[in-house]
Amino acid sequence: AGWILGVFRDRSKRTMLKLLKSLVRPKLEYCSPLWSPCKIGDIQKLEEIQRYFTRRIKECEGMNYWERLQHLKILSLQRRRERYMIIHVWKMYVGLAPPYSALIPLLPTAHQQD
C-alpha cells in the first residue's frame, strides 16, 4: 500500500476507494476461502494494511477505523473473509464448488505404503 500512496497524490474518497478495491484488497484477499488466518496477530497485521490506507483518505481525517469503514461503506477484511467462507461453503453444499478434499492431494495411508 505504501508504494501506491507514493505514486498517487490524490487523497479524495473516490480515488482512494478505487485504489483500495483494485490494487490493495485483491492482494490481501487472494484465495481467502481456502486460506484464512486464525491467529489474532495475523488478522491484525492484515487489517492494519487497510487501516493504514483508509487513514490517508482526506474525507476520513479524525475518524477511528470503524467510523472510516462505516463512512466509506466497506467491510473489515476479517468480515469479508468470513462472508467469503460462508458463500464458499454454500457453493460446496449446492455443488457449485468442489469440496476441500478435492482440492488437496490425497496423502498415502498406512495400507497404501506397503
Side-chain angles (χ1 to χ4, degrees):
W3 71 268
I4 296 170
L5 296 172
V7 172
F8 295 92
R9 299 287 178 213
D10 185 7
R11 299 291 189 259
S12 68
K13 178 179 172 180
R14 181 176 181 213
T15 301
M16 293 292 280
L17 274 177
K18 182 67 82 174
L19 292 171
L20 176 70
K21 291 177 180 179
S22 62
L23 298 175
V24 178
R25 278 200 321 210
K27 300 286 187 194
L28 300 175
E29 295 177 338
Y30 176 73
C31 221
S32 65
L34 299 176
W35 173 85
S36 186
C38 57
K39 294 181 182 176
I40 292 175
D42 294 340
I43 293 168
Q44 289 173 342
K45 285 178 186 176
L46 285 174
E47 208 69 52
E48 182 58 36
I49 297 168
Q50 182 165 282
R51 181 178 283 116
Y52 174 82
F53 199 86
T54 58
R55 192 179 304 131
R56 303 311 189 262
I57 298 174
K58 187 183 292 186
E59 289 90 344
C60 296
E61 292 175 354
M63 296 180 187
N64 70 33
Y65 180 56
W66 302 107
E67 290 170 341
R68 290 193 303 267
L69 294 180
Q70 194 171 33
H71 176 74
L72 298 170
K73 297 180 179 138
I74 59 175
L75 298 171
S76 71
L77 295 173
Q78 176 62 24
R79 178 66 182 109
R80 287 175 60 87
R81 279 191 305 277
E82 290 168 354
R83 184 173 176 267
Y84 290 147
M85 289 172 63
I86 291 168
I87 291 169
H88 192 73
V89 168
W90 176 82
K91 285 182 176 183
M92 288 188 311
Y93 179 74
V94 298
L96 296 174
Y100 286 124
S101 61
L103 301 174
I104 300 170
L106 296 175
L107 299 174
T109 59
H111 69 279
Q112 289 176 330
Q113 292 177 357
D114 294 335

